Amino acid sequence: MASTVVLIHGVLMSGREMSLLRFRLRRDGFNVRQYRYESRRYTPVENAQALQQALIDWQLEGTVHFVAHSLGGLVLAHFFNRCQWCHPGRVVLLGVPLRGSSVARRLSHSPWGRWLLGCSLVDGLLQQAPPWPGARKTLMIAGTWGLGLGRVLSLGRLPGPSDGVVRLCEVEDAAITDRLVLPVNHTQLVVSSRVARAIAKFLSPGPSA
């Protein structure tokens, strides 16, 4: 039975931007499901609860991996923190600000910024994520090409290495088992062929706690 990969998109996204990644993972032999949610209308906690219901509805069997981009990783952190998930599988996080986002904090200081990010700021981008489940093999892929929204908002480069939206220091968590840093920006994390190959390689070993 082929492993299933559940993709979780980031803030202000719909999942369509992950279509190339879906194609590549299917080509590599994975079954792929896309979890879609409204990042502005519902909090990461509420979207984590909806993720749990989606997984129940899908009736997945065997190994289930997760690949989450940006805010999607915070939704997944709340899911693991609140739900008993017994399926074996690994996790790949793509530029997930587990320690909170300095760009989101900057945006939250203005009315239009709070409107733009909406409920993603509540128990999400402004706070540190719940403790990551150390027993689950997890790869964090981060970027260091600092051209992105964060640079525009900051009128220059973000402090230290970043993918243009998320700083390298913001993706750190002691429970992350594997790390990969590539010269890509935040958007390229979901479209880069090099990232897709790294994801497939990491998820290929088979069942894992």
Side-chain angles (χ1 to χ4, degrees):
M1 178 184 298
S3 300
T4 298
V5 179
V6 177
L7 300 181
I8 308 175
H9 61 80
V11 65
L12 305 177
M13 300 297 178
S14 66
R16 286 190 291 272
E17 71 287 346
M18 303 185 90
S19 59
L20 185 55
L21 179 56
R22 287 198 299 274
F23 168 79
R24 286 168 169 158
L25 290 174
R26 285 174 178 147
R27 183 185 58 190
D28 288 331
F30 296 100
N31 294 321
V32 183
R33 291 276 190 166
Q34 178 75 59
Y35 172 62
R36 293 181 170 87
Y37 64 98
E38 296 186 50
S39 62
R40 296 181 64 253
R41 186 175 180 183
Y42 300 107
T43 69
V45 171
E46 292 170 326
N47 284 315
Q49 294 168 341
L51 171 60
Q52 181 182 24
Q53 186 58 53
L55 293 169
I56 292 172
D57 294 342
W58 289 338
Q59 298 181 333
L60 303 178
E61 297 180 356
T63 300
V64 179
H65 304 297
F66 294 90
V67 176
H69 179 231
S70 196
L71 179 69
L74 303 184
V75 172
L76 191 58
H78 283 288
F79 167 78
F80 284 132
N81 187 56
R82 293 168 173 268
C83 306
Q84 293 294 326
W85 181 249
C86 300
H87 284 264
R90 296 184 170 194
V91 178
V92 179
L93 302 177
L94 305 175
V96 176
L98 294 173
R99 293 191 172 184
S101 166
S102 57
V103 170
R105 282 192 288 272
R106 181 184 178 94
L107 280 169
S108 71
H109 294 158
S110 67
W112 74 268
R114 291 192 296 273
W115 172 86
L116 179 68
L117 295 178
C119 291
S120 68
L121 297 174
V122 181
D123 295 322
L125 295 173
L126 296 184
Q127 295 84 24
Q128 183 161 329
W132 191 257
R136 192 165 292 268
K137 192 82 169 173
T138 302
L139 168 65
M140 174 69 80
I141 303 180
T144 55
W145 187 33
L147 180 62
L149 179 63
R151 183 172 181 177
V152 174
L153 293 172
S154 301
L155 301 179
R157 290 187 179 274
L158 294 173
S162 79
D163 63 11
V165 175
V166 176
R167 298 165 63 195
L168 206 55
C169 64
E170 294 170 344
V171 305
E172 289 299 323
D173 188 291
I176 300 297
T177 59
D178 296 80
R179 295 170 176 81
L180 177 63
V181 178
L182 296 173
V184 297
N185 68 20
H186 198 63
T187 301
Q188 289 175 321
L189 285 167
V190 295
V191 298
S192 164
S193 60
R194 188 174 177 183
V195 171
R197 288 195 298 271
I199 293 171
K201 181 179 179 180
F202 182 74
L203 300 183
S204 292
S208 172

